[in-house]
Amino acid sequence: EAGVAQSPRYKIIEKRQSVAFWCNPISGHATLYWYQQILGQGPKLLIQFQNNGVVDDSQLPKDRFSAERLKGVDSTLKIQPAKLEDSAVYLCASSPGLVITATNTGELFFGEGSRLTVL
Amino acid sequence: GNSVTQMEGPVTLSEEAFLTINCTYTATGYPSLFWYVQYPGEGLQLLLKATKADDKGSNKGFEATYRKETTSFHLEKGSVQVSDSAVYFCALKGYSTLTFGKGTMLLVSP
């Protein structure tokens, strides 16, 4: 079974430029997450999709970050314009469970991440 | 809100030493608890979990017991190997997703 695929693995940009990250979850997984992991910190949830709908985007800085999952499969996270403090690893994860069902085990399957450096 | 506190690293051990990584949490209700591991150059992966008080999760020689009275979920292993060198994250499941601790780096030398 193929894992969660992310690209690019590394990206270096200057502040005020834009960047986009792509994620393809495990086939059949209904729920997709984007996390931001700043060096020395744990992953922080940015946005969560169930199929192609947004479940939680309360911690997404909407003035510069956007994300979509149009067909309920792969997803794109965009940052425009980037700031120095956006330097981080952006992790995509997927889960087979639906958000509100009791059978959601909470087990997330993570990709290798996309490392962003903003200069 | 939910939060997870882990001991700061790095934790440096010799091979075959005993490992403890402390984790405490704050949450409403009784969340499920997890340990994730991130090996160098790889994504996070689930190591073990416990869904209710007094449950013990175990995998690959690692264990952790869900202690409601102390709101803790400490990770232990009796004899670490060089291949256990990684970053370990404690996490709890709220209503719909996971809240992670900051992670603890473990370095095991031969």
Side-chain angles (χ1 to χ4, degrees), chain B residues 63-76:
Chain B
E63 293 183 339
T65 301
Y66 190 145
R67 301 288 188 197
K68 185 179 66 174
E69 62 277 11
T70 55
T71 61
S72 64
F73 193 54
H74 305 322
L75 182 68
E76 297 182 336

Side-chain angles (χ1 to χ4, degrees), chain A residues 9 33 35 37 40-43 45 48 55-56 91 99-100 104-108 110-112, chain B residues 32 34 36 38 41-46 49 51 89 93 95-103:
Chain A
R9 289 292 310 277
Y33 311 78
Y35 280 84
Q37 185 178 12
Q41 299 183 20
L45 179 70
Q48 177 183 354
V55 174
D56 183 357
L91 301 169
V99 169
I100 61 172
N104 183 348
T105 64
E107 178 176 359
L108 273 58
F110 283 85
E112 294 180 335
Chain B
S32 296
F34 303 81
Y36 275 77
Q38 186 173 30
E42 299 184 14
L44 279 80
Q45 56 187 275
L46 180 66
K49 66 180 181 182
T51 58
F89 292 91
K93 180 180 177 298
Y95 174 69
S96 64
T97 190
L98 298 180
T99 299
F100 287 89
K102 291 186 176 182

Side-chain angles (χ1 to χ4, degrees), chain B residues 11 13 37-40 62 80-88 104-109:
Chain B
V11 174
L13 295 173
V37 59
Q38 186 173 30
Y39 298 104
F62 290 89
V80 294
Q81 305 300 311
V82 172
S83 57
D84 294 327
S85 297
V87 181
Y88 293 81
T104 302
M105 179 178 288
L106 171 65
L107 300 172
V108 181
S109 56

Side-chain angles (χ1 to χ4, degrees), chain A residues 71-89:
Chain A
K71 297 182 180 179
V73 181
D74 58 347
S75 176
T76 302
L77 175 70
K78 296 179 181 178
I79 307 174
Q80 180 179 12
K83 292 185 175 182
L84 296 177
E85 59 261 35
D86 298 333
S87 294
V89 177

